[in-house]
Amino acid sequence: MKIVVCGAGEVGRAICESLWESNDLVLIDTDEDRVNDLYSTYDIQAIVGSATSINILREIDLSEEDVFLAVTSSDETNIIASILASELGVGHVYGRVRSTEYLEDMDFMQDALGVSRIVNPEMDAAVLISKILAFPAAESMESFSNNQIRIIELTVTEESSACNKTLMEFTKLFEGRMLICAVQRGDYVFIPNGNFEIHAGDKIHVTGKREDLKLVYQDMTRDPMTIRSLMILGGGDLTYYLVERLTKQTSMYIKVIEEDVEVGKKLALDFPMVDVVYGDAKDPLLLDEEGLESFDAVAALQNNDEENIILSSFAQDRAVPKIITRVDRPIILKHLTHLGLDTIITPKQLLAEKMIRLSRSLKATSHSSMIRLYQMVDDQVEAMEFHILNESSITGKPLKDIQLISSSLIIGIHRGDDYIIPNGSDSIEVGDDVSVITTHKNIKDITQFVQEEK
């Protein structure tokens, strides 16, 4: 299968890094320096030119089996390139579109363009932020089984019930209704077994149903905060999608500070229940006048990473309980750990992960097809969900009789309307959706988790 990536920015780079080893990858971009950089780093075909050139696309010799990913920084370029790829008979076309004007009716846009899916990083980021605001002590969150199951990241403190307990002891506290599936301790990541002991300072990833996770969340945080008020710094597309979602789902008081009068006016007209303040969010006097320190949460969502980081640090100084920071350049995230930022949201990384997930999910085998993929803990861990198509070495027998490869754990089985946090007596059957977490990369089929007999 050939995968064509249009755009050599940060999203395109992340896609190339993840997919080049197992696919015939073609990169297109007008920036010669970016193209040469990725071409010299990865074993890919690279073309300097426009993704909207019909001659270039014809030279690639695309087919209905191929995948076309339009992820340039321009909505218009992505739309035109997606239309051309669809007309050339590409079977799987995904276009990145961010503007609220284009996405007033996403289903209509997808049908009109003839693409498999329109992807919107700002909308995905808004969904993630809204979930985190529901569990504000969580540092990250992923969803499986049509949002029925979630993985939340929490930091263990000395007072946490998990502290100095084994995984087995912790699970028993909650009657097996949730599972710690990964632990980050310093620079190391563990996929724990039942005897693994949890220490203060560990970052644990807990999976379970949303209502069950509330129990562990309340227990772990002891004094769980509820977000009743939110100040948003910056009023761009991400803010629009977030406000739209929150006003439908909650009664949260929301104030937006935006310098551009036209942007602020659109927010004020579309969401009259939201307070919109016209002003420079970088002005500390304005933030104090608008009561920054009285808010339960602050989200720095401007289009400038450095400004968002500074604003988040200012909110820290004002002791705001929950702070969310937008950072668009994943490459700088590793340098921010010493700042102690609360929750960092990276829309471009979310988009790259979605594109990687979509591309890998198309490679169904005779045994299973991948329906979800998340890269976690600085890409050291992959959490994936497979639909079981046929009987294989992993079906029809108790899990205790199956030897999995190292650093891998089956964390959930979705069967009909039931979701099972598995133990050794449970089994996987044809038709199940099975969630697995692992430190291994480039897994394509669930049978790859079964250790070969010697």
Side-chain angles (χ1 to χ4, degrees):
M1 180 172 69
K2 186 182 297 178
I3 298 178
V4 180
V5 182
C6 302
E10 285 148 352
V11 175
R13 173 179 288 276
I15 294 171
C16 289
E17 182 177 2
S18 180
L19 299 179
W20 73 274
E21 290 183 287
S22 54
N23 296 278
D24 180 9
L25 211 61
V26 181
L27 175 70
I28 306 174
D29 197 280
T30 55
D31 190 314
E32 185 174 1
D33 291 336
R34 285 183 173 180
V35 170
N36 288 336
D37 179 34
L38 292 179
Y39 176 72
S40 62
T41 305
Y42 308 108
D43 184 15
I44 61 174
Q45 180 182 350
I47 299 172
V48 178
S50 173
T52 61
S53 168
I54 189 68
N55 291 329
I56 287 178
L57 298 185
R58 280 176 174 158
E59 286 178 10
I60 299 173
D61 190 23
L62 298 164
S63 75
E64 63 179 13
E65 300 297 324
D66 295 330
V67 179
F68 190 90
L69 309 177
V71 292
T72 74
S73 59
S74 164
D75 284 354
E76 290 73 19
T77 297
N78 295 334
I79 289 171
I80 294 171
S82 296
I83 292 173
L84 293 176
S86 181
E87 288 296 316
L88 289 172
V90 180
H92 310 284
V93 180
Y94 302 98
R96 169 192 187 179
V97 179
R98 297 178 293 176
S99 171
T100 57
E101 296 177 2
Y102 288 127
L103 296 176
E104 292 175 351
D105 189 334
M106 186 177 290
D107 291 337
F108 174 81
M109 278 291 292
Q110 286 183 176
D111 292 340
L113 298 179
V115 301
S116 305
R117 188 179 302 180
I118 288 174
V119 290
N120 183 337
E122 277 72 21
M123 186 176 292
D124 289 340
V127 171
L128 179 57
I129 292 171
S130 67
K131 290 178 180 177
I132 289 174
L133 290 172
F135 289 89
E139 296 172 45
S140 67
M141 185 177 301
E142 308 290 358
S143 299
F144 287 85
S145 300
N146 296 320
N147 288 321
Q148 295 183 56
I149 307 303
R150 294 183 177 177
I151 300 178
I152 63 173
E153 178 187 346
L154 297 167
T155 299
V156 178
T157 65
E158 294 282 357
E159 295 76 27
S160 299
S161 60
C163 188
N164 299 324
K165 285 188 173 61
T166 65
L167 182 69
M168 190 178 301
E169 291 170 336
F170 175 82
T171 303
K172 284 181 179 178
L173 286 176
F174 300 96
E175 301 175 347
R177 291 155 67 183
M178 65 276 300
L179 178 69
I180 295 178
C181 56
V183 179
Q184 183 179 6
R185 181 174 295 165
D187 294 330
Y188 296 95
V189 178
F190 303 91
I191 306 298
N193 59 29
N195 297 319
F196 186 92
E197 187 172 287
I198 303 158
H199 297 164
D202 288 349
K203 293 181 181 294
I204 61 172
H205 296 259
V206 188
T207 183
K209 293 182 180 179
R210 187 175 188 271
E211 56 271 23
D212 292 332
L213 285 178
K214 285 184 178 179
L215 298 176
V216 68
Y217 175 80
Q218 291 168 358
D219 184 84
M220 290 282 292
T221 55
R222 294 297 180 188
D223 185 21
M225 69 179 96
T226 299
I227 304 299
R228 297 184 178 88
S229 59
L230 170 68
M231 178 182 282
I232 303 176
L233 309 178
D237 290 342
L238 171 50
T239 295
Y240 188 95
Y241 295 126
L242 178 60
V243 170
E244 182 178 43
R245 189 173 184 85
L246 292 176
T247 52
K248 289 178 181 177
Q249 295 180 342
T250 73
S251 57
M252 186 185 301
Y253 171 66
I254 302 171
K255 178 181 286 188
V256 179
I257 298 182
E258 169 56 44
E259 190 171 14
D260 189 305
V261 174
E262 291 303 315
V263 172
K265 187 181 296 183
K266 179 174 175 57
L267 281 168
L269 289 174
D270 289 353
F271 307 107
M273 69 293 291
V274 172
D275 280 346
V276 178
V277 176
Y278 301 106
D280 185 357
K282 301 187 297 298
D283 182 354
L285 293 178
L286 174 63
L287 297 180
D288 284 337
E289 286 175 3
E290 295 300 328
L292 173 74
E293 65 182 9
S294 68
F295 279 80
D296 296 326
V298 168
L301 305 182
Q302 301 198 123
N303 292 321
N304 183 292
D305 290 350
E306 288 79 9
E307 290 179 5
N308 288 334
I309 293 167
I310 292 171
L311 290 170
S312 297
S313 297
F314 183 75
Q316 277 183 323
D317 185 64
R318 292 297 188 265
V320 177
K322 183 67 182 177
I323 303 169
I324 297 172
T325 311
R326 171 181 181 165
V327 176
D328 271 327
R329 288 170 291 173
I331 195 170
I332 72 172
L333 291 179
K334 63 181 69 175
H335 304 296
L336 301 182
T337 54
H338 69 285
L339 295 178
L341 296 180
D342 189 349
T343 299
I344 297 174
I345 300 294
T346 310
K348 290 181 180 179
Q349 190 66 29
L350 293 176
L351 173 62
E353 290 174 2
K354 174 173 275 193
M355 290 298 198
I356 292 164
R357 179 166 67 249
L358 289 169
S359 300
R360 285 174 59 176
S361 68
L362 295 172
K363 290 189 170 185
T365 68
S366 60
H367 303 121
S368 65
S369 62
M370 186 186 296
I371 53 180
R372 279 179 184 80
L373 167 71
Y374 296 103
Q375 295 175 315
M376 303 161 52
V377 197
D378 300 327
D379 295 342
Q380 297 181 68
V381 173
E382 289 191 344
M384 54 196 75
E385 187 173 12
F386 294 91
H387 181 67
I388 307 304
L389 300 171
N390 291 295
E391 293 181 357
S392 68
S393 57
I394 206 168
T395 61
K397 64 183 77 169
L399 294 178
K400 63 184 178 182
D401 296 336
I402 299 173
Q403 185 67 40
L404 298 181
I405 59 176
S406 64
S407 299
S408 300
L409 183 67
I410 296 171
I411 61 174
I413 301 172
H414 192 196
R415 182 175 298 152
D417 294 329
D418 296 327
Y419 188 85
I420 303 164
I421 301 292
N423 57 43
S425 62
D426 292 307
S427 62
I428 295 171
E429 306 296 340
V430 174
D432 290 348
D433 291 340
V434 180
S435 303
V436 189
I437 193 163
T438 183
T439 58
H440 295 272
K441 299 297 179 68
N442 296 319
I443 297 286
K444 304 178 184 67
D445 182 79
I446 196 162
T447 59
Q448 290 178 263
F449 289 106
V450 180
Q451 189 166 295
E452 296 181 3
E453 296 183 6
K454 295 182 179 179

